Amino acid sequence: MKFFPLYETAPGAGTYQLGSAEIEAVSTSAAVAIAAQSAPEGCRTGVWPYKAVAGLPDSQEPAADEVGKLYDVLSQPTGPTGTFAPSGQVFGSFSTDASGMALSLERFFGFRLGLIPQGEKPAPAATPAPASSSGTTSAAATTSGSASTVSSGGSATPAG
């Protein structure tokens, strides 16, 4: 399935902003784990399930480690420029992955629904990067197929 990350707008704010990096993962919890790698310090992470083609999603049996996981539902009723906020609903991954339910109900409600694991903890404080003699740092996250990996690659050089 495809997802986009949702990051809390500020620590403890309870509203979430849509991220721009597409994630492909085998389950909702796997997508949250990938998104959490880029979470702002002190902020919670969720995901927005995404399907590029219109229509309802195919039923997807949850992965073994996904069964029984519960997610608070975040909604974006004000449209694509608004933030996501808790809706008071809870979806669970039992006979299907919770992300399929979110995609299906988006069609009914007419707005986007995101998912955040119940009891999600804020992202830990960032650890300082080791000093580099060349002044560059590198990191990139990639996802592919049904598995995801984090690998180094690319570089960023300070301007000036």
Side-chain angles (χ1 to χ4, degrees), residues 1 3 25-34 47 49 60-72 91-102 115-118:
M1 291 197 69
F3 300 85
V26 296
S27 68
T28 303
S29 57
V32 170
I34 293 167
V47 292
Q60 179 179 347
E61 189 172 322
D65 62 344
E66 180 69 18
V67 174
K69 297 212 174 165
L70 297 174
Y71 299 90
D72 290 324
F91 291 173
S93 292
F94 296 100
S95 59
T96 63
D97 191 292
S99 59
M101 189 179 329
L115 301 169
I116 182 169
Q118 283 199 324

mmCIF file of all heavy atoms in Angstrom, residues 1 3 25-34 47 49 60-72 91-102 115-118:
data_model
loop_
_atom_site.group_PDB
_atom_site.id
_atom_site.type_symbol
_atom_site.label_atom_id
_atom_site.label_comp_id
_atom_site.label_asym_id
_atom_site.label_seq_id
_atom_site.Cartn_x
_atom_site.Cartn_y
_atom_site.Cartn_z
ATOM 1 N N MET A 1 0.835 -1.179 0.000
ATOM 2 C CA MET A 1 0.000 0.000 0.000
ATOM 3 C C MET A 1 0.876 1.238 0.000
ATOM 4 O O MET A 1 2.012 1.199 0.440
ATOM 5 C CB MET A 1 -0.902 0.012 1.222
ATOM 6 C CG MET A 1 -1.975 -1.053 1.195
ATOM 7 S SD MET A 1 -3.297 -0.702 2.364
ATOM 8 C CE MET A 1 -4.035 0.715 1.599
ATOM 9 N N PHE A 3 1.296 5.281 1.223
ATOM 10 C CA PHE A 3 0.938 6.189 2.307
ATOM 11 C C PHE A 3 1.724 7.484 2.154
ATOM 12 O O PHE A 3 2.753 7.526 1.472
ATOM 13 C CB PHE A 3 1.326 5.591 3.672
ATOM 14 C CG PHE A 3 0.684 4.285 3.996
ATOM 15 C CD1 PHE A 3 1.225 3.084 3.546
ATOM 16 C CD2 PHE A 3 -0.459 4.238 4.778
ATOM 17 C CE1 PHE A 3 0.638 1.866 3.858
ATOM 18 C CE2 PHE A 3 -1.048 3.022 5.108
ATOM 19 C CZ PHE A 3 -0.499 1.836 4.640
ATOM 20 N N ALA A 25 4.476 0.470 1.910
ATOM 21 C CA ALA A 25 4.711 -0.461 3.011
ATOM 22 C C ALA A 25 3.660 -1.566 2.982
ATOM 23 O O ALA A 25 2.592 -1.403 2.399
ATOM 24 C CB ALA A 25 4.658 0.294 4.343
ATOM 25 N N VAL A 26 3.958 -2.675 3.647
ATOM 26 C CA VAL A 26 3.053 -3.823 3.668
ATOM 27 C C VAL A 26 1.893 -3.663 4.646
ATOM 28 O O VAL A 26 0.924 -4.392 4.580
ATOM 29 C CB VAL A 26 3.811 -5.137 3.981
ATOM 30 C CG1 VAL A 26 4.794 -5.456 2.890
ATOM 31 C CG2 VAL A 26 4.481 -5.069 5.328
ATOM 32 N N SER A 27 1.997 -2.714 5.584
ATOM 33 C CA SER A 27 0.942 -2.523 6.577
ATOM 34 C C SER A 27 0.972 -1.085 7.080
ATOM 35 O O SER A 27 1.941 -0.353 6.878
ATOM 36 C CB SER A 27 1.121 -3.485 7.750
ATOM 37 O OG SER A 27 2.284 -3.155 8.484
ATOM 38 N N THR A 28 -0.099 -0.727 7.767
ATOM 39 C CA THR A 28 -0.187 0.613 8.344
ATOM 40 C C THR A 28 0.925 0.825 9.367
ATOM 41 O O THR A 28 1.596 1.861 9.361
ATOM 42 C CB THR A 28 -1.568 0.818 8.998
ATOM 43 O OG1 THR A 28 -2.581 0.601 8.006
ATOM 44 C CG2 THR A 28 -1.715 2.214 9.556
ATOM 45 N N SER A 29 1.154 -0.149 10.240
ATOM 46 C CA SER A 29 2.191 0.022 11.270
ATOM 47 C C SER A 29 3.582 0.113 10.647
ATOM 48 O O SER A 29 4.441 0.850 11.143
ATOM 49 C CB SER A 29 2.121 -1.080 12.324
ATOM 50 O OG SER A 29 2.237 -2.347 11.744
ATOM 51 N N ALA A 30 3.834 -0.605 9.559
ATOM 52 C CA ALA A 30 5.129 -0.494 8.869
ATOM 53 C C ALA A 30 5.293 0.900 8.274
ATOM 54 O O ALA A 30 6.381 1.480 8.320
ATOM 55 C CB ALA A 30 5.251 -1.560 7.785
ATOM 56 N N ALA A 31 4.217 1.457 7.740
ATOM 57 C CA ALA A 31 4.280 2.814 7.182
ATOM 58 C C ALA A 31 4.547 3.845 8.273
ATOM 59 O O ALA A 31 5.345 4.771 8.088
ATOM 60 C CB ALA A 31 2.979 3.139 6.451
ATOM 61 N N VAL A 32 3.907 3.678 9.435
ATOM 62 C CA VAL A 32 4.144 4.597 10.554
ATOM 63 C C VAL A 32 5.608 4.522 10.987
ATOM 64 O O VAL A 32 6.242 5.539 11.258
ATOM 65 C CB VAL A 32 3.194 4.300 11.736
ATOM 66 C CG1 VAL A 32 3.596 5.074 12.985
ATOM 67 C CG2 VAL A 32 1.752 4.617 11.358
ATOM 68 N N ALA A 33 6.160 3.326 11.040
ATOM 69 C CA ALA A 33 7.566 3.162 11.443
ATOM 70 C C ALA A 33 8.507 3.874 10.470
ATOM 71 O O ALA A 33 9.483 4.501 10.884
ATOM 72 C CB ALA A 33 7.921 1.684 11.533
ATOM 73 N N ILE A 34 8.207 3.802 9.184
ATOM 74 C CA ILE A 34 9.036 4.492 8.180
ATOM 75 C C ILE A 34 8.884 6.001 8.335
ATOM 76 O O ILE A 34 9.872 6.743 8.347
ATOM 77 C CB ILE A 34 8.670 4.037 6.757
ATOM 78 C CG1 ILE A 34 9.057 2.574 6.564
ATOM 79 C CG2 ILE A 34 9.359 4.919 5.707
ATOM 80 C CD1 ILE A 34 8.472 1.933 5.316
ATOM 81 N N VAL A 47 -0.117 8.329 9.462
ATOM 82 C CA VAL A 47 -0.026 8.173 8.009
ATOM 83 C C VAL A 47 -1.395 8.399 7.368
ATOM 84 O O VAL A 47 -2.428 8.197 8.001
ATOM 85 C CB VAL A 47 0.510 6.784 7.589
ATOM 86 C CG1 VAL A 47 1.966 6.624 7.968
ATOM 87 C CG2 VAL A 47 -0.324 5.660 8.165
ATOM 88 N N PRO A 49 -3.369 6.852 4.250
ATOM 89 C CA PRO A 49 -3.368 5.852 3.183
ATOM 90 C C PRO A 49 -3.745 6.515 1.870
ATOM 91 O O PRO A 49 -4.620 7.381 1.831
ATOM 92 C CB PRO A 49 -4.440 4.854 3.606
ATOM 93 C CG PRO A 49 -4.758 5.165 5.022
ATOM 94 C CD PRO A 49 -4.377 6.577 5.254
ATOM 95 N N GLN A 60 -7.388 -6.210 1.871
ATOM 96 C CA GLN A 60 -6.026 -6.666 2.132
ATOM 97 C C GLN A 60 -5.963 -7.286 3.514
ATOM 98 O O GLN A 60 -6.193 -6.612 4.518
ATOM 99 C CB GLN A 60 -5.057 -5.484 2.039
ATOM 100 C CG GLN A 60 -3.624 -5.860 2.314
ATOM 101 C CD GLN A 60 -2.695 -4.660 2.182
ATOM 102 O OE1 GLN A 60 -3.068 -3.620 1.670
ATOM 103 N NE2 GLN A 60 -1.488 -4.806 2.653
ATOM 104 N N GLU A 61 -5.672 -8.578 3.567
ATOM 105 C CA GLU A 61 -5.529 -9.255 4.849
ATOM 106 C C GLU A 61 -4.346 -8.633 5.591
ATOM 107 O O GLU A 61 -3.300 -8.388 5.005
ATOM 108 C CB GLU A 61 -5.282 -10.743 4.617
ATOM 109 C CG GLU A 61 -5.339 -11.554 5.882
ATOM 110 C CD GLU A 61 -5.277 -13.041 5.598
ATOM 111 O OE1 GLU A 61 -5.867 -13.483 4.603
ATOM 112 O OE2 GLU A 61 -4.618 -13.735 6.391
ATOM 113 N N PRO A 62 -4.504 -8.357 6.883
ATOM 114 C CA PRO A 62 -3.400 -7.733 7.608
ATOM 115 C C PRO A 62 -2.215 -8.680 7.791
ATOM 116 O O PRO A 62 -2.390 -9.890 7.909
ATOM 117 C CB PRO A 62 -4.012 -7.369 8.956
ATOM 118 C CG PRO A 62 -5.169 -8.281 9.114
ATOM 119 C CD PRO A 62 -5.662 -8.593 7.726
ATOM 120 N N ALA A 63 -1.018 -8.115 7.786
ATOM 121 C CA ALA A 63 0.188 -8.894 8.080
ATOM 122 C C ALA A 63 0.056 -9.436 9.503
ATOM 123 O O ALA A 63 -0.665 -8.865 10.332
ATOM 124 C CB ALA A 63 1.417 -8.002 7.956
ATOM 125 N N ALA A 64 0.733 -10.512 9.803
ATOM 126 C CA ALA A 64 0.625 -11.166 11.110
ATOM 127 C C ALA A 64 0.893 -10.197 12.269
ATOM 128 O O ALA A 64 0.188 -10.230 13.279
ATOM 129 C CB ALA A 64 1.584 -12.356 11.178
ATOM 130 N N ASP A 65 1.892 -9.326 12.118
ATOM 131 C CA ASP A 65 2.210 -8.396 13.207
ATOM 132 C C ASP A 65 1.291 -7.174 13.229
ATOM 133 O O ASP A 65 1.381 -6.341 14.108
ATOM 134 C CB ASP A 65 3.674 -7.974 13.145
ATOM 135 C CG ASP A 65 4.041 -7.244 11.871
ATOM 136 O OD1 ASP A 65 3.280 -7.297 10.887
ATOM 137 O OD2 ASP A 65 5.125 -6.624 11.856
ATOM 138 N N GLU A 66 0.384 -7.075 12.269
ATOM 139 C CA GLU A 66 -0.567 -5.955 12.197
ATOM 140 C C GLU A 66 -1.892 -6.289 12.902
ATOM 141 O O GLU A 66 -2.590 -5.393 13.371
ATOM 142 C CB GLU A 66 -0.828 -5.605 10.725
ATOM 143 C CG GLU A 66 -1.796 -4.468 10.500
ATOM 144 C CD GLU A 66 -1.272 -3.104 10.910
ATOM 145 O OE1 GLU A 66 -0.052 -2.926 11.062
ATOM 146 O OE2 GLU A 66 -2.102 -2.197 11.077
ATOM 147 N N VAL A 67 -2.235 -7.563 12.978
ATOM 148 C CA VAL A 67 -3.525 -7.992 13.522
ATOM 149 C C VAL A 67 -3.712 -7.469 14.945
ATOM 150 O O VAL A 67 -2.841 -7.615 15.802
ATOM 151 C CB VAL A 67 -3.649 -9.537 13.501
ATOM 152 C CG1 VAL A 67 -4.937 -9.989 14.200
ATOM 153 C CG2 VAL A 67 -3.609 -10.050 12.086
ATOM 154 N N GLY A 68 -4.853 -6.827 15.178
ATOM 155 C CA GLY A 68 -5.196 -6.329 16.503
ATOM 156 C C GLY A 68 -4.724 -4.926 16.805
ATOM 157 O O GLY A 68 -5.051 -4.385 17.860
ATOM 158 N N LYS A 69 -3.982 -4.301 15.915
ATOM 159 C CA LYS A 69 -3.500 -2.935 16.175
ATOM 160 C C LYS A 69 -4.652 -1.948 16.001
ATOM 161 O O LYS A 69 -5.479 -2.076 15.110
ATOM 162 C CB LYS A 69 -2.346 -2.585 15.250
ATOM 163 C CG LYS A 69 -1.157 -3.498 15.516
ATOM 164 C CD LYS A 69 0.134 -2.820 15.270
ATOM 165 C CE LYS A 69 1.234 -3.775 15.716
ATOM 166 N NZ LYS A 69 2.494 -3.407 15.231
ATOM 167 N N LEU A 70 -4.702 -0.960 16.887
ATOM 168 C CA LEU A 70 -5.755 0.051 16.876
ATOM 169 C C LEU A 70 -5.174 1.413 16.516
ATOM 170 O O LEU A 70 -4.054 1.755 16.932
ATOM 171 C CB LEU A 70 -6.427 0.126 18.244
ATOM 172 C CG LEU A 70 -7.149 -1.145 18.695
ATOM 173 C CD1 LEU A 70 -7.640 -0.995 20.125
ATOM 174 C CD2 LEU A 70 -8.297 -1.468 17.753
ATOM 175 N N TYR A 71 -5.961 2.187 15.772
ATOM 176 C CA TYR A 71 -5.521 3.503 15.296
ATOM 177 C C TYR A 71 -6.597 4.544 15.563
ATOM 178 O O TYR A 71 -7.780 4.309 15.309
ATOM 179 C CB TYR A 71 -5.253 3.468 13.785
ATOM 180 C CG TYR A 71 -4.163 2.501 13.418
ATOM 181 C CD1 TYR A 71 -4.458 1.179 13.112
ATOM 182 C CD2 TYR A 71 -2.833 2.897 13.415
ATOM 183 C CE1 TYR A 71 -3.452 0.280 12.797
ATOM 184 C CE2 TYR A 71 -1.831 2.004 13.107
ATOM 185 C CZ TYR A 71 -2.146 0.696 12.797
ATOM 186 O OH TYR A 71 -1.154 -0.200 12.499
ATOM 187 N N ASP A 72 -6.194 5.691 16.090
ATOM 188 C CA ASP A 72 -7.091 6.832 16.178
ATOM 189 C C ASP A 72 -7.195 7.420 14.780
ATOM 190 O O ASP A 72 -6.195 7.513 14.056
ATOM 191 C CB ASP A 72 -6.553 7.880 17.154
ATOM 192 C CG ASP A 72 -6.612 7.393 18.598
ATOM 193 O OD1 ASP A 72 -7.576 6.692 18.952
ATOM 194 O OD2 ASP A 72 -5.684 7.718 19.363
ATOM 195 N N PHE A 91 -10.136 2.847 14.381
ATOM 196 C CA PHE A 91 -10.160 1.741 13.424
ATOM 197 C C PHE A 91 -9.170 0.689 13.907
ATOM 198 O O PHE A 91 -8.139 1.023 14.488
ATOM 199 C CB PHE A 91 -9.738 2.181 12.022
ATOM 200 C CG PHE A 91 -10.702 3.088 11.305
ATOM 201 C CD1 PHE A 91 -10.341 3.661 10.097
ATOM 202 C CD2 PHE A 91 -11.951 3.375 11.800
ATOM 203 C CE1 PHE A 91 -11.205 4.487 9.413
ATOM 204 C CE2 PHE A 91 -12.831 4.208 11.125
ATOM 205 C CZ PHE A 91 -12.457 4.763 9.918
ATOM 206 N N GLY A 92 -9.472 -0.564 13.638
ATOM 207 C CA GLY A 92 -8.581 -1.652 14.022
ATOM 208 C C GLY A 92 -8.259 -2.544 12.842
ATOM 209 O O GLY A 92 -9.041 -2.667 11.906
ATOM 210 N N SER A 93 -7.087 -3.138 12.885
ATOM 211 C CA SER A 93 -6.672 -4.114 11.870
ATOM 212 C C SER A 93 -7.014 -5.504 12.396
ATOM 213 O O SER A 93 -6.299 -6.047 13.216
ATOM 214 C CB SER A 93 -5.162 -4.008 11.599
ATOM 215 O OG SER A 93 -4.856 -2.791 10.963
ATOM 216 N N PHE A 94 -8.122 -6.029 11.927
ATOM 217 C CA PHE A 94 -8.537 -7.365 12.346
ATOM 218 C C PHE A 94 -8.662 -8.262 11.123
ATOM 219 O O PHE A 94 -7.736 -8.979 10.806
ATOM 220 C CB PHE A 94 -9.822 -7.304 13.185
ATOM 221 C CG PHE A 94 -9.627 -6.571 14.483
ATOM 222 C CD1 PHE A 94 -10.033 -5.254 14.626
ATOM 223 C CD2 PHE A 94 -8.992 -7.185 15.556
ATOM 224 C CE1 PHE A 94 -9.823 -4.564 15.813
ATOM 225 C CE2 PHE A 94 -8.776 -6.503 16.746
ATOM 226 C CZ PHE A 94 -9.197 -5.193 16.868
ATOM 227 N N SER A 95 -9.774 -8.214 10.425
ATOM 228 C CA SER A 95 -9.912 -9.052 9.226
ATOM 229 C C SER A 95 -9.274 -8.396 8.000
ATOM 230 O O SER A 95 -8.966 -9.068 7.027
ATOM 231 C CB SER A 95 -11.379 -9.369 8.949
ATOM 232 O OG SER A 95 -12.116 -8.178 8.768
ATOM 233 N N THR A 96 -9.080 -7.082 8.055
ATOM 234 C CA THR A 96 -8.352 -6.349 7.011
ATOM 235 C C THR A 96 -7.497 -5.284 7.674
ATOM 236 O O THR A 96 -7.712 -4.932 8.830
ATOM 237 C CB THR A 96 -9.297 -5.658 5.996
ATOM 238 O OG1 THR A 96 -10.078 -4.689 6.696
ATOM 239 C CG2 THR A 96 -10.198 -6.644 5.297
ATOM 240 N N ASP A 97 -6.543 -4.746 6.932
ATOM 241 C CA ASP A 97 -5.697 -3.665 7.439
ATOM 242 C C ASP A 97 -6.566 -2.415 7.611
ATOM 243 O O ASP A 97 -7.415 -2.120 6.770
ATOM 244 C CB ASP A 97 -4.551 -3.399 6.442
ATOM 245 C CG ASP A 97 -3.491 -2.491 7.012
ATOM 246 O OD1 ASP A 97 -3.782 -1.295 7.240
ATOM 247 O OD2 ASP A 97 -2.362 -2.964 7.224
ATOM 248 N N ALA A 98 -6.369 -1.675 8.681
ATOM 249 C CA ALA A 98 -7.159 -0.480 8.970
ATOM 250 C C ALA A 98 -7.063 0.567 7.858
ATOM 251 O O ALA A 98 -7.987 1.359 7.672
ATOM 252 C CB ALA A 98 -6.712 0.129 10.294
ATOM 253 N N SER A 99 -5.977 0.580 7.107
ATOM 254 C CA SER A 99 -5.822 1.582 6.056
ATOM 255 C C SER A 99 -6.869 1.414 4.958
ATOM 256 O O SER A 99 -7.337 2.394 4.381
ATOM 257 C CB SER A 99 -4.414 1.538 5.463
ATOM 258 O OG SER A 99 -4.152 0.261 4.932
ATOM 259 N N GLY A 100 -7.283 0.181 4.671
ATOM 260 C CA GLY A 100 -8.331 -0.043 3.678
ATOM 261 C C GLY A 100 -9.658 0.552 4.116
ATOM 262 O O GLY A 100 -10.408 1.110 3.306
ATOM 263 N N MET A 101 -9.957 0.465 5.404
ATOM 264 C CA MET A 101 -11.177 1.055 5.928
ATOM 265 C C MET A 101 -11.126 2.574 5.790
ATOM 266 O O MET A 101 -12.109 3.214 5.408
ATOM 267 C CB MET A 101 -11.387 0.661 7.391
ATOM 268 C CG MET A 101 -12.755 1.069 7.900
ATOM 269 S SD MET A 101 -13.132 0.638 9.618
ATOM 270 C CE MET A 101 -12.248 -0.843 9.923
ATOM 271 N N ALA A 102 -9.972 3.166 6.074
ATOM 272 C CA ALA A 102 -9.829 4.613 5.940
ATOM 273 C C ALA A 102 -10.051 5.045 4.489
ATOM 274 O O ALA A 102 -10.764 6.010 4.224
ATOM 275 C CB ALA A 102 -8.446 5.057 6.427
ATOM 276 N N LEU A 115 -4.424 7.936 9.919
ATOM 277 C CA LEU A 115 -4.388 7.015 11.054
ATOM 278 C C LEU A 115 -3.145 7.270 11.893
ATOM 279 O O LEU A 115 -2.054 7.481 11.348
ATOM 280 C CB LEU A 115 -4.364 5.569 10.550
ATOM 281 C CG LEU A 115 -5.548 5.148 9.681
ATOM 282 C CD1 LEU A 115 -5.279 3.805 9.024
ATOM 283 C CD2 LEU A 115 -6.822 5.103 10.503
ATOM 284 N N ILE A 116 -3.311 7.251 13.203
ATOM 285 C CA ILE A 116 -2.178 7.350 14.124
ATOM 286 C C ILE A 116 -2.353 6.236 15.152
ATOM 287 O O ILE A 116 -3.450 6.044 15.669
ATOM 288 C CB ILE A 116 -2.081 8.743 14.797
ATOM 289 C CG1 ILE A 116 -0.861 8.821 15.702
ATOM 290 C CG2 ILE A 116 -3.345 9.107 15.526
ATOM 291 C CD1 ILE A 116 -0.542 10.216 16.187
ATOM 292 N N PRO A 117 -1.296 5.465 15.409
ATOM 293 C CA PRO A 117 -1.425 4.379 16.388
ATOM 294 C C PRO A 117 -1.885 4.909 17.743
ATOM 295 O O PRO A 117 -1.448 5.977 18.180
ATOM 296 C CB PRO A 117 -0.004 3.815 16.487
ATOM 297 C CG PRO A 117 0.672 4.222 15.226
ATOM 298 C CD PRO A 117 0.054 5.545 14.849
ATOM 299 N N GLN A 118 -2.795 4.185 18.384
ATOM 300 C CA GLN A 118 -3.224 4.601 19.720
ATOM 301 C C GLN A 118 -2.013 4.579 20.641
ATOM 302 O O GLN A 118 -1.205 3.654 20.601
ATOM 303 C CB GLN A 118 -4.306 3.679 20.247
ATOM 304 C CG GLN A 118 -5.645 3.965 19.629
ATOM 305 C CD GLN A 118 -6.786 3.387 20.447
ATOM 306 O OE1 GLN A 118 -6.675 2.318 21.032
ATOM 307 N NE2 GLN A 118 -7.893 4.098 20.464
#
